[in-house]
Amino acid sequence: MRTNITGGSPFEPIIGFSRAVRVGNVVHLAGTGPVGAENEDAAGQTRRVFAIAAEALAKAGCSFNDVVRTRMFLTHVEDWEAVGRVHGEFFAKIRPAATMVVVAALLNPAWRIEIEMDAVIPGTDESARPASTDH
């Protein structure tokens, strides 16, 4: 079963996207920019992204504890440490697979960061799978 999670953007129906999509026990959070924090530094913008993400994940029935993958898109390479430290505030113990790349630009020229997340919600489907082994 598919559930589209809105973020309330007036562009969602125009462009055809959702803030997040849940299919079964998997949640995909769309690229999320620091809406409303355009004048903040990279760390402040990253915290704003996490606030928006937390709300969308909650609407999808999960939290940062369920996040298994993040993708961070920076417009300034020198922001990597500030962004990484904020990421660590939320994920130091969870430690999802993470990617950080530098891009030429984001949708809003004032944005220094955009983040995508994927989450897996523990449930009966997961408990039926055999345990994985490390190689």
Side-chain angles (χ1 to χ4, degrees):
M1 184 169 128
R2 176 191 176 114
T3 305
N4 292 340
I5 311 298
T6 183
S9 169
F11 296 106
E12 289 179 17
I14 295 167
I15 297 171
F17 78 97
S18 298
R19 171 61 40 223
V21 175
R22 178 175 174 171
V23 179
N25 67 336
V26 177
V27 178
H28 301 281
L29 181 76
T32 303
V35 176
E38 288 81 4
N39 295 323
E40 298 282 334
D41 63 6
Q45 288 192 9
T46 305
R47 285 188 182 88
R48 177 65 182 139
V49 169
F50 272 89
I52 295 167
E55 184 177 327
L57 292 171
K59 287 180 182 178
C62 63
S63 71
F64 293 129
N65 289 330
D66 303 305
V67 172
V68 297
R69 179 97 166 102
T70 62
R71 293 169 202 84
M72 296 165 274
F73 304 94
L74 309 173
T75 57
H76 297 80
V77 69
E78 63 271 16
D79 291 342
W80 76 268
E81 189 171 3
V83 168
R85 287 185 183 280
V86 175
H87 187 274
E89 290 172 16
F90 292 88
F91 291 128
K93 292 183 181 174
I94 301 160
R95 298 181 62 188
T99 300
M100 185 183 292
V101 297
V102 178
V103 297
L106 295 170
L107 187 59
N108 182 329
W111 293 353
R112 300 177 74 92
I113 182 71
E114 185 171 312
I115 303 175
E116 297 177 350
M117 297 181 192
D118 297 315
V120 177
I121 303 168
T124 55
D125 294 341
E126 291 296 312
S127 62
R129 292 186 182 177
S132 63
T133 57
D134 293 329
H135 296 278

